[in-house]
């Protein structure tokens, strides 16, 4: 039997167990537990093998989910990662910020990689939000004007949500309007955005102290608002191209959800600590990437999940600004600029980033790296109501531990003179980063992607996983042993 057949069999068993406990479809929700990039895309592609419907729920092109189509590694941004599986219908959900330029590029990319039925299987909820070019420019402007920038991805997510909240934003359905009606909507949205460019456009500077926008770029942006017809024409044409894919998301999801023979995979984006509701505000994204936001973005009710899986890597990473208690020193920051630390002082952090390839799938930015943190993790398990943990990248830790001398897991924090075991919510008030209390491990193990059972893993790796799992409130049911879609150990005894 091939690896794929064995994996298929295990997934089928896991889904069968879940199906016994629900009268509706089996719904598997995959979320990030930390600050994004935990390998969610891979887990989605893994479960997609047996999914009838898959939904990309929140966020937009700020996400980059690495999956493999055959031997080709790609990062999906808006298109659902389950597109890799020929039998799965893939829906772009209600709370997604859809950048049509990027989406069309992704459709073409997967088509060229052999997913020729992408036009039939991909559906876009008509009520999803549209990111327009001026949202992307505004994202950069707003972050640069701020006293403390968030370090956003610049993909226009925040400003698209601002337009939504102001109730002037465009929905995907609007792209089907006549050009003149679409132009009126763009003009209305622009009423609130143009003054910001008028005020700051010429004076705002980038990190090097140079003008963020040239006069030419500012003229182009101004043109969107003063003379919105040409932008309206372009997006009307996009609407025409996509029209067969635009659907009533609720009706589509209902047909699958109220059928006990179906399986639905929900692809969360970003992560619990990046959620605007449950993350480290203000250093967060603009949508709720926790369980409830993700379900709402998927047209599913609160009690839909058969299993909520929170993903983490066995080393933690973050891109952009914000608290990171277990961060190792690095000699470059997430913009690639030199920090106060020399390469010698930053040996552990630099080694982790470079040896583990920690550069963003969406922006290519160097990721900040650190030790796995159980305080953060147990908080995420609770706030997500997680049923399972997926611990990815355990294969990378053995070599890293050997090279730098040890592996660390953060067990507790010292904060405000006390030892605590919860993630403090008042970090922004106290301006104090908790000091981690670590337990050390030797590392040194070798894990290969042909290890398919938990018992195949070296004892030292199992001890590390079990120490991480202990007391978190949900079992580590999935263990990542490599980057490919099938490089996951699934522990059926934990179901
Ligand atoms: P996502 O945004 O949560 O989907 O994660 P990203 O794709 O942004 O980042 C995860 C990175 O880790 C990608 O480069 C994946 O290929 C890689 N990855 C995921 N799981 C594993 C694993 O178990 N082992 C190894 N070596 N790499 C992994
Ligand atoms: P996936 O789905 C990692 C971070 C940005 C920034 C903050 C706000 O691949 O895990 P935004 O552009 O959303 O306004 O940026 O959130 N961020 C991510 N970091 N992975 C992601 O997505 C991210 N999406 C947003 O770096 O700190
Ligand atoms: Mg990512």
């Amino acid at each position: 039997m091939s690896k794929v057949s064995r994996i298929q069999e295990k997934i089928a068993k896991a889904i069968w167990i879940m199906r016994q406990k629900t009268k509706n479809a089996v719904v598997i929700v995959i979320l990030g537990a930390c600050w994004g990039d935990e390998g969610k895309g891979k887990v989605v592609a893994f479960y997609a093998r047996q999914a009838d419907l898959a939904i990309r729920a929140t966020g937009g092109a700020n996400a980059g989910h690495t999956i493999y189509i055959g031997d080709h590694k790609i990062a999906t941004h808006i298109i659902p990662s389950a597109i890799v599986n020929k039998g799965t219908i893939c829906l772009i959900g209600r709370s997604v910020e859809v950048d049509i330029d990027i989406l069309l590029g992704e459709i073409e990319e997967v088509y060229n990689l052999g997913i020729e039925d992408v036009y039939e299987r991909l559906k876009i909820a008509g009520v999803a939000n549209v990111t327009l070019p001026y949202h992307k420019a505004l994202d950069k402007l707003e972050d640069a004007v701020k006293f403390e920038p968030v370090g956003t991805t610049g993909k226009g997510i925040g400003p698209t949500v601002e337009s939504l909240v102001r109730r002037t934003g465009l929905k995907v359905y609007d792209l089907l309007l006549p050009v003149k009606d679409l132009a009126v909507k763009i003009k209305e949205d622009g009423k609130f955005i143009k003054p910001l460019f008028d005020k700051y456009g010429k004076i705002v500077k980038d990190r090097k102290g140079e003008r963020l926008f040239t006069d030419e770029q500012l003229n182009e942006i101004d043109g969107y608002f003063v003379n919105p017809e040409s932008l309206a024409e372009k997006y009307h044409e996009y609407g025409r191209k996509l029209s067969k894919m635009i659907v009533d998301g609720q009706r589509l999801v209902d047909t699958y959800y109220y059928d006990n023979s179906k399986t639905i995979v929900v692809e969360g984006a970003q992560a619990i600590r990046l959620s605007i509701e449950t993350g480290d505000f203000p250093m967060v994204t603009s949508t709720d990437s926790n369980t409830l936001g993700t379900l709402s973005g998927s047209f599913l009710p609160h009690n839909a999940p058969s299993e909520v899986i929170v993903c983490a890597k066995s080393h933690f990473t973050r891109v952009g600004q914000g608290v990171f208690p277990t961060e190792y020193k690095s000699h470059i920051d997430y913009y690639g600029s030199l920090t106060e630390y020399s390469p010698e002082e930053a040996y552990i952090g630099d080694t982790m980033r470079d040896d583990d390839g920690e550069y963003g799938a969406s922006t290519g930015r160097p990721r900040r790296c650190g030790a796995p943190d159980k305080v953060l993790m147990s908080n995420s398990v609770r706030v997500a109501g997680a049923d399972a943990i997926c611990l990815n990248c355990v294969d990378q830790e053995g070599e890293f531990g050997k090279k730098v001398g040890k592996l660390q897991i953060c067990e507790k924090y010292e904060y405000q003179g006390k030892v605590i075991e919860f993630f403090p919510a008042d970090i922004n008030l106290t301006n104090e980063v908790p000091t981690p209390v670590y337990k050390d491990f030797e590392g040194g193990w070798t894990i290969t992607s042909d290890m398919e059972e938990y018992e195949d893993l070296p004892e030292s790796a199992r001890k590390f996983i079990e120490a991480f799992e202990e007391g978190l409130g949900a079992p580590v049911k999935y263990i990542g042993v490599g980057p490919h879609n099938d490089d996951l150990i699934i522990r059926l005894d934990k179901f």
Side-chain angles (χ1 to χ4, degrees):
M1 209 198 247
S2 68
K3 177 172 174 180
V4 170
S5 313
R6 286 191 296 273
I7 295 270
Q8 291 271 30
E9 205 168 87
K10 283 189 192 159
I11 296 175
K13 272 190 194 151
I15 290 175
W16 183 86
I17 296 169
M18 293 185 221
R19 199 169 313 283
Q20 307 316 303
K21 298 180 193 158
T22 175
K23 63 181 192 324
N24 298 316
V26 166
V27 176
I28 302 161
V29 180
I30 294 148
L31 304 177
C34 311
W35 295 289
D37 304 331
E38 302 95 340
K40 298 177 288 295
K42 179 181 85 169
V43 185
V44 171
F46 175 83
Y47 262 123
R49 285 191 173 285
Q50 308 229 341
D52 301 290
L53 174 70
I55 310 159
R56 190 42 230 282
T58 67
N62 49 352
H65 295 176
T66 311
I67 55 161
Y68 282 78
I69 297 182
D71 291 334
H72 294 271
K73 178 168 140 174
I74 66 160
T76 63
H77 303 292
I78 295 170
I79 204 167
S81 297
I83 203 77
V84 64
N85 186 51
K86 294 263 174 179
T88 310
I89 298 293
C90 293
L91 174 69
I92 296 174
R94 162 161 50 206
S95 305
V96 177
E97 287 73 50
V98 188
D99 180 325
I100 314 272
D101 284 310
I102 292 184
L103 176 62
L104 289 171
E106 293 195 278
I107 293 174
E108 201 180 318
E109 184 181 16
V110 301
Y111 181 89
N112 289 335
L113 289 172
I115 311 285
E116 285 164 8
D117 58 352
V118 53
Y119 294 96
E120 286 86 61
R121 285 197 290 117
L122 181 63
K123 312 285 169 198
I124 310 165
V127 292
N129 309 298
V130 180
T131 295
L132 289 156
Y134 56 78
H135 289 123
K136 290 190 261 191
L138 183 59
D139 194 358
K140 294 187 180 117
L141 179 140
E142 285 183 338
D143 221 31
V145 165
K146 274 183 190 155
F147 180 59
E148 280 191 86
V150 177
T152 70
T153 59
K155 305 290 180 183
I157 307 304
T160 308
V161 175
E162 287 162 23
S163 290
L164 170 77
V165 173
R166 201 192 301 116
R167 282 143 291 173
T168 56
L170 265 65
K171 295 286 182 177
V172 168
Y173 273 142
D174 290 326
L175 306 183
L176 303 175
L177 288 171
V179 173
K180 64 173 183 9
D181 297 341
L182 190 49
V184 169
K185 292 213 171 206
I186 294 173
K187 193 152 199 156
E188 182 70 358
D189 202 21
K191 257 194 218 166
F192 302 88
I193 295 171
K194 185 176 171 336
L196 291 170
F197 282 97
D198 292 343
K199 181 165 180 188
Y200 295 111
K202 284 201 161 113
I203 53 172
V204 67
K205 303 271 185 347
D206 67 12
R207 280 168 46 88
K208 292 187 192 127
E210 283 159 23
R211 266 181 65 174
L212 190 61
F213 300 105
T214 62
D215 285 341
E216 209 179 12
Q217 286 168 328
L218 288 175
N219 281 341
E220 190 180 344
I221 296 164
D222 206 51
Y224 296 145
F225 307 127
V226 178
N227 186 8
E229 285 73 21
S230 61
L231 191 62
E233 257 168 43
K234 180 173 171 189
Y235 277 75
H236 175 79
E237 178 56 22
Y238 281 165
R240 204 189 54 75
K241 266 194 188 158
L242 297 173
S243 62
K244 285 204 181 117
M245 301 183 198
I246 300 173
V247 297
D248 176 338
Q250 189 70 60
R251 285 194 63 192
L252 177 72
V253 173
D254 282 357
T255 23
Y256 285 84
Y257 179 59
Y258 293 102
D259 180 344
N260 183 238
S261 70
K262 301 291 188 213
T263 301
I264 303 176
V265 168
V266 176
E267 178 172 8
Q270 288 77 53
I272 285 150
R273 295 233 61 84
L274 283 178
S275 161
I276 190 144
E277 297 292 349
T278 59
D280 315 319
F281 187 87
M283 300 308 173
V284 292
T285 191
S286 307
T287 50
D288 178 17
S289 32
N290 200 348
T291 313
L292 290 182
T294 301
L295 287 171
S296 166
S298 308
F299 304 95
L300 285 164
H302 72 97
N303 55 350
S306 303
E307 178 157 288
V308 174
I309 306 171
V310 291
C311 302
K313 286 181 294 202
S314 46
H315 56 271
F316 277 21
T317 60
R318 180 166 196 166
V319 200
Q321 210 45 264
V323 65
F324 186 171
T326 60
E327 182 175 13
Y328 291 132
K329 292 172 188 144
S330 166
H331 94 281
I332 49 170
D333 64 15
Y334 59 88
Y335 288 107
S337 309
L338 292 179
T339 66
E340 63 197 286
Y341 301 112
S342 68
E344 290 73 33
E345 287 170 306
Y347 174 65
I348 296 181
D350 283 355
T351 303
M352 187 178 262
R353 184 191 56 245
D354 291 340
D355 289 11
D356 294 346
E358 289 298 353
Y359 292 84
S362 197
T363 58
R365 293 183 295 178
R367 292 176 181 147
R368 300 160 62 194
C369 294
D373 179 343
K374 289 183 62 169
V375 182
L376 180 150
M377 200 63 203
S378 69
N379 178 74
S380 290
V381 166
R382 276 178 277 116
V383 301
D387 305 291
I389 294 167
C390 171
L391 188 62
N392 276 319
C393 297
V394 183
D395 55 299
Q396 294 183 317
E397 259 44 81
E399 187 55 32
F400 166 77
K402 197 160 110 192
K403 199 162 170 184
V404 306
K406 66 179 173 200
L407 288 176
Q408 296 181 299
I409 294 181
C410 166
E411 299 266 331
K412 296 172 186 162
Y413 293 156
E414 277 172 19
Y415 182 68
Q416 304 263 293
K418 290 191 194 125
V419 173
I420 58 167
E421 293 185 46
F422 57 89
F423 201 90
D426 59 354
I427 289 176
N428 276 321
L429 278 181
T430 62
N431 218 5
E432 194 177 312
V433 180
T435 308
V437 179
Y438 290 112
K439 190 169 173 182
D440 292 351
F441 297 80
E442 274 180 21
W445 59 75
T446 301
I447 292 178
T448 49
S449 58
D450 58 2
M451 295 181 175
E452 294 175 28
E453 302 293 337
Y454 185 63
E455 293 65 37
D456 296 342
L457 295 175
E459 196 188 344
S460 51
R462 278 187 273 136
K463 276 196 179 145
F464 178 85
I465 294 164
E466 283 157 27
F468 181 76
E469 179 180 47
E470 193 193 351
L472 286 188
V476 175
K477 284 190 188 171
Y478 309 87
I479 297 155
V481 293
H484 290 90
N485 304 348
D486 291 331
D487 293 343
L488 266 185
I489 291 177
I490 173 166
R491 294 166 83 186
L492 287 171
D493 59 310
K494 294 275 180 183
F495 277 77

